[in-house]
Amino acid sequence: MNPKSLFIALCLSSTASAADFAAWTHRQTVRITQPGLTRIELEPALLDASRTTGGAPFHDLRVISPAGIETPYVVALPRVMRPERIDAVQFKATLNAATTVLDFQPRERDMIKEVLLQTSAHDFIKAATLEASSDGATWQTLSSGEVLCRQSGTERLRIPIAPAAWKYFRVTIDDARSAPVPFTGAQIVRELPELRTVANPVTLRSRKEENGSTKLTLDLGSANVLLGTVHVHTPEPVFQREATLMIAHSTLFRLKHDGFTGEEIEIPVHQLATTREVELVIRNGDSPPLRIDRIEATRHAVPVVFQADAPGEWQLYIGNAQASEPRYDIAALADKLRDATANNATASAVAANAEFRKTATAPEVGETGAAIDVSAWSFQRLIQFSEAGVIELELDPAVLARCENDLNDVRIVREGRQVPFLAIKPGLERERAVPFVEVADPKTPSWSKWDITMPFPNFPASTLLLDSPTPLFRRTLSVSEHIHNEQGRFERILGTANWQRTPGQAPITFHLPLYTAPRADTIRLGTDNGDNAPLQITSVRVVYPVVRLLFRVPDTKPLHICYGNRRAPRARYDLQLVRREFETATKVAATFGDEEKLPGYEADPLISGKGSPWLWAALALVVGALLWVVAKMLPKQTSGS
């Protein structure tokens, strides 16, 4: 064994202690036939199960020996410190009668996949032929009819080739139809083994045309794909579009020149796609959307390297959002291990970890909180779930409408004691179709008005979604409600917005944001048509925010959620100290049972118009007192008058 290999083996020989992997969701068996440095490429199905949140990618991976010992490893991701492009040497440009000939050489004998020319010229299109030689005497044509260009924001100065090692290059540029262009240098693009990519299946899930852009939802087949490149295949003969995928930007184009076609339809991404679906945005401007035949993608391999101290069945565990990032001593050897000679191993299919328990991911917070008397609350509902652990309960529209907006009055109760919980607002929204009816108002004949019935009074709607088939209009819409309380009846404006559509525009749903959530069970939408035909509305939907409660239970005994108490103080729980642990735990989904009224039930005085009974009693006393005072102030009638 050479000194370098011995040094690596000694560093890798350190191991961690045995561990319990009940908190990991997936595992894969790796069969190793001989000890030594071992490399295996992690499968997409295994990467898909990774649940890392921050830190290094895939840091929830654990490599376990047949003896059950955690073994240090290195994930050999593509490195960026090694330059891919190298300036060519011996560059010489020769100007002939109808051609420009460029000669240059690579600095080292590398596998070369592309040459890149350099020029300060603008606004040109040229046809080029690339030749290569190993001895400078015998030349082989690698590519002919290549289009080089730079104009209108479009640039193509690269000539791709099949990866090979060459000592000499020659590029002949056709100047017969346009003036020569001064080329000042060239770069060699090396093929680096760690940057090689393999095909990755991709499915086009949806396409949406919006505000002059085409938005394509791409399904990569799994999450945590180390995406390489994305190719957009279109039959359009000539086009130029700006495209964005994650944080990668590229100009896609195709042009024709003297019978030759030049194109760039590749987006170099080279990023980790943490979600299964990604969005590709192609900006069309005033041009019609591109026809797209298919989308192709590539991905980088994700190899893991470790020292196998014994043959046998090794286990790879992954899928634990709470796993800390391992601090292995061999992290500093990542570059050496990437290039070191290693044995390959075979792996079985990725499977669910039979030892996994959801309760293993739940933080220890105690079983119950303070005692509580719920007689002052208005409603309760049974919470239904099938197993212990961290329970996730999404509040449905009925609960959201009947509780306070800040959830002050929400309590989770079991056997007379509170169960502490965390309220999570993940930034998601739901939408729900609602009934509406057009209202004729003889007092305002130029107006169109609709009464919209909300799912419940006090519904926390944030936006109205409106659809209209009218092809040409510009209107200012307003949304209002009428509130009845002890002070009388008054109108409250909930939101206003301008909506317009011109001929040729696709009929898209209009989003009308609300300044404040409605209190009433019916709200009114209105707009002044002026002297135009009435605006038509064909559907109305309301958007409301997603609110989820997270709490931990040690068993499946029944518990209830109580809500509807305007005088309830804000709940104060210590769970904020372990908020991350709750959010990353594997959760048990819960649902609601039927709603029941509690002794504290009272109608909403702002909606019912009844007001508080104590208020009415007070008003009756005041009125009685006033009548008594008035009676005392009236002069007494004398007898016989």
Side-chain angles (χ1 to χ4, degrees), residues 110-349:
D110 287 311
M111 295 295 288
I112 300 168
K113 66 177 183 178
E114 187 175 286
V115 298
L116 182 65
L117 302 181
Q118 298 171 322
T119 178
S120 59
H122 297 277
D123 196 19
F124 68 88
I125 301 178
K126 295 285 186 179
T129 298
L130 173 64
E131 299 171 278
S133 174
S134 297
D135 56 10
T138 303
W139 293 86
Q140 179 179 337
T141 300
L142 303 182
S143 181
S144 62
E146 291 286 345
V147 174
L148 307 177
C149 67
R150 179 184 282 161
Q151 56 178 201
S152 303
T154 299
E155 177 178 288
R156 188 178 191 272
L157 297 174
R158 69 185 189 95
I159 305 177
I161 61 174
W166 299 99
K167 294 184 64 176
Y168 303 92
F169 286 101
R170 182 167 65 198
V171 178
T172 302
I173 300 172
D174 186 359
D175 296 328
R177 295 171 179 80
S178 60
V181 170
F183 287 90
T184 56
Q187 287 185 319
I188 302 299
V189 182
R190 305 186 299 174
E191 186 192 44
L192 302 182
E194 63 267 28
L195 293 182
R196 291 174 184 166
T197 58
V198 295
N200 188 84
V202 59
T203 303
L204 179 58
R205 288 299 180 195
S206 67
R207 173 173 180 155
K208 180 169 61 175
E209 306 298 335
E210 185 176 277
N211 299 327
S213 295
T214 299
K215 297 183 178 181
L216 306 172
T217 301
L218 309 182
D219 186 341
L220 303 177
S222 68
N224 299 315
V225 174
L226 190 55
L227 203 55
T229 59
V230 170
H231 292 72
V232 180
H233 293 274
T234 172
E236 302 288 354
V238 178
F239 66 89
Q240 178 179 320
R241 301 286 193 278
E242 296 297 320
T244 301
L245 179 59
M246 295 193 284
I247 62 172
H249 304 276
S250 184
T251 300
L252 308 178
F253 69 88
R254 180 176 291 140
L255 54 83
K256 294 182 179 295
H257 175 68
D258 292 338
F260 299 112
T261 299
E263 65 180 22
E264 281 290 357
I265 60 172
E266 177 184 286
I267 304 172
V269 183
H270 305 300
Q271 298 171 49
L272 180 66
T274 57
T275 58
R276 177 175 179 142
E277 292 186 346
V278 295
E279 185 177 66
L280 169 60
V281 179
I282 302 175
R283 287 174 288 279
N284 302 307
D286 295 326
S287 302
L290 289 177
R291 293 174 292 165
I292 295 177
D293 290 339
R294 68 185 189 281
I295 305 289
E296 293 181 344
T298 65
R299 62 176 173 85
H300 293 281
V302 179
V304 62
V305 181
F306 59 94
Q307 179 75 13
D309 57 6
E313 292 191 344
W314 290 62
Q315 303 296 326
L316 304 182
Y317 287 91
I318 204 166
N320 182 359
Q322 296 177 335
S324 60
E325 185 173 344
R327 304 294 181 182
Y328 298 136
D329 293 340
I330 64 170
L333 299 176
D335 284 338
K336 294 182 176 65
L337 294 175
R338 181 181 288 107
D339 299 327
T341 301
N343 301 323
N344 292 322
T346 58
S348 64

Side-chain angles (χ1 to χ4, degrees), residues 597-609:
K597 290 182 180 178
L598 292 173
Y601 171 75
E602 60 179 349
D604 186 343
L606 294 182
I607 302 303
S608 66

Side-chain angles (χ1 to χ4, degrees), residues 28 40-49 222 299 302 347-350:
Q28 184 178 33
I40 183 170
E41 291 187 1
L42 302 182
E43 297 182 16
L46 191 74
L47 301 179
D48 184 50
S222 68
R299 62 176 173 85
V302 179
S348 64
V350 178

